[in-house]
Amino acid sequence: MAALLNVPETAAPGEIVEIKVLIQHPMETGFRTAQGGGLVPRNIIHTVSCHYMGEEVFSAELFPAVAANPYLAFTLVAEESGEVEVRWTDEAGEEFSQSAPITVG
Amino acid sequence: MRAALALLLLAPPAAAQDDRRTGYDDMTPELQAMQDDPVGNPGLFWVLDGEAMYSAAPDTGAESCAGCHGDGETAMSGVAARYPAWDEALDRPVDLAGRIDLCRVRHQGLPPLERESDALLSLTAYVTNQSRGLPIAPDPDPRLDGWREQGEDLFTTRMGQLNLSCAQCHDDLAGGHLAAALIPQGHPTGYPLYRLEWETMGSLDRRFGNCMFGVRAEPFGAGSAEYVALELYLKARAAGLAIEAPAIRP
């Protein structure tokens, strides 16, 4: 499972920057019929978080009403150069992450 | 008469009198922005997967796609804009997904893929993406003319329990509404595309199946000769319009 993560390459100190992430995930609700009968087991991403300068700067809980391949956009205050890392965990217990650098100055 | 019509269809109409609209033109600005956003268009996941598959060597010991064709960005540029095209061995035209699957079977010793599988959609999306922005330029091979005519016949023939033809909606009633959905002119510029209602990527054949199901007709089936004929006709009807795959549709 991949993600398309958009972090601005550069920012001025104190600037509010927008982080956009599109996560590849089927977000199975558990109500969909599988080919040949039976239900596709429920498996959705339940938590998404963003980490920057060793701190959690954003987190969200997702629910079954969120469509497949969820798209999230949020802001953070750019203070130091470093990695912006987005992590997500689904109900199958799989943990994923993707990061991109930002240069502040 | 038929031949003259086929020729007429192949020549893109003069821009001034061109009132053709793609599904993109009919979408809301929000959905257009989603399609154009390099990190907001979920169809790009299939393009990226296809890119990886294109250069991965299969475990049969055969060459990768790139091993035979070279760099995808140059080798595959314009191919999707020209397809469907004639296959000598089968002695009939094949669509792009069919051609890619034939390469896997003939040249890589692999089993055929399911038509609507993520793997075949990914390879097709990757190859089609190399034509993004290029005008649809149907193959002038005269062996395709009869198939285009058959496609036009299918397009204008009433079918299903609702007894409607494709043309009644997509030529006569385009711009009107079917319940909440806007009836588009039905140009095949964006496939394979990510449809929000499907919550996934789908082929042009899947779209044909949806429309046939909608008029309660028995769909011809993905990869069928009828769908190749319909695509040949629709590509001629859309000649000159730019490929926009992977598109977004509601």
Side-chain angles (χ1 to χ4, degrees), chain A residues 2-90:
Chain A
L4 294 172
L5 175 61
N6 186 358
V7 174
E9 278 168 34
T10 57
E15 189 181 333
I16 297 171
V17 294
E18 188 176 38
I19 311 297
K20 293 188 275 191
V21 63
L22 180 72
I23 305 174
Q24 187 177 29
H25 198 282
M27 296 294 280
E28 283 296 349
T29 57
F31 296 116
R32 208 163 60 93
T33 319
Q35 259 187 356
L39 292 177
V40 184
R42 171 173 155 153
N43 180 22
I44 64 166
I45 296 174
H46 56 76
T47 320
V48 181
S49 62
C50 177
H51 303 258
Y52 171 53
M53 304 191 311
E55 251 185 81
E56 182 176 287
V57 291
F58 168 85
S59 82
E61 276 179 67
L62 303 191
F63 295 94
V66 176
N69 303 309
Y71 176 81
L72 285 89
F74 50 88
T75 54
L76 54 80
V77 181
E79 283 173 9
E80 288 171 16
S81 297
E83 291 289 313
V84 175
E85 187 189 24
V86 175
R87 298 179 195 161
W88 62 101
T89 313
D90 69 15

Side-chain angles (χ1 to χ4, degrees), chain A residues 4 6 22 24 67-69 71, chain B residues 37 39 42 45 48-49 194 199:
Chain A
L4 294 172
N6 186 358
L22 180 72
Q24 187 177 29
N69 303 309
Y71 176 81
Chain B
D37 185 347
V39 295
F45 288 130
L48 291 173
D49 288 347
Y194 191 90
E199 292 195 49

Side-chain angles (χ1 to χ4, degrees), chain B:
Chain B
M1 171 64 204
R2 280 288 192 190
L5 182 68
L7 276 180
L8 204 71
L9 278 166
L10 281 180
Q17 43 179 264
D18 197 342
D19 50 10
R20 292 177 302 171
R21 291 176 65 81
T22 65
Y24 179 88
D25 296 328
D26 289 334
M27 287 200 303
T28 61
E30 290 77 12
L31 287 181
Q32 290 180 345
M34 182 177 183
Q35 175 168 324
D36 297 337
D37 185 347
V39 295
N41 181 340
L44 294 171
F45 288 130
W46 280 260
V47 174
L48 291 173
D49 288 347
E51 181 175 18
M53 292 169 70
Y54 184 86
S55 45
D59 51 20
T60 52
E63 290 275 9
S64 68
C65 316
C68 278
H69 291 286
D71 179 52
E73 285 184 25
T74 43
M76 293 296 146
S77 173
V79 175
R82 204 181 77 241
Y83 260 66
W86 195 261
D87 183 71
E88 301 291 341
L90 293 178
D91 201 30
R92 68 169 179 86
V94 292
D95 65 5
L96 184 60
R99 158 66 62 225
I100 291 171
D101 211 28
L102 283 175
C103 266
R104 287 173 39 93
V105 173
R106 284 179 188 159
H107 303 304
Q108 294 187 307
L110 292 167
L113 289 168
E114 292 259 354
R115 286 289 301 203
E116 215 53 38
S117 63
D118 280 329
L120 191 52
L121 286 169
S122 297
L123 281 166
T124 310
Y126 172 69
V127 172
T128 308
N129 196 232
Q130 310 315 319
S131 294
R132 203 175 191 186
L134 297 180
I136 291 179
D139 196 322
D141 186 334
R143 290 172 296 183
L144 298 170
D145 292 345
W147 285 76
R148 277 191 196 102
E149 283 163 22
Q150 195 206 332
E152 185 179 8
D153 286 344
L154 287 168
F155 197 76
T156 50
T157 302
R158 287 171 178 267
M159 56 174 85
Q161 290 179 332
L162 299 193
N163 201 29
L164 287 168
S165 72
C166 318
Q168 282 178 291
C169 281
H170 293 298
D171 284 340
D172 304 344
L173 295 171
H177 283 82
L178 185 68
L182 183 81
I183 303 176
Q185 293 179 358
H187 294 299
T189 46
Y191 291 82
L193 57 70
Y194 191 90
R195 191 163 179 224
L196 300 181
E197 189 186 302
W198 296 335
E199 292 195 49
T200 190
M201 202 76 166
S203 67
L204 182 62
D205 287 8
R206 182 168 179 186
R207 177 67 252 178
F208 290 162
N210 276 196
C211 280
M212 292 189 71
F213 188 79
V215 296
R216 302 202 196 137
E218 177 92 32
F220 292 122
S224 61
E226 287 87 350
Y227 283 173
V228 174
L230 270 172
E231 181 175 353
L232 277 163
Y233 170 68
L234 286 184
K235 284 277 173 67
R237 181 173 169 266
L241 296 177
I243 296 279
E244 45 156 333
I248 300 285
R249 291 291 182 269

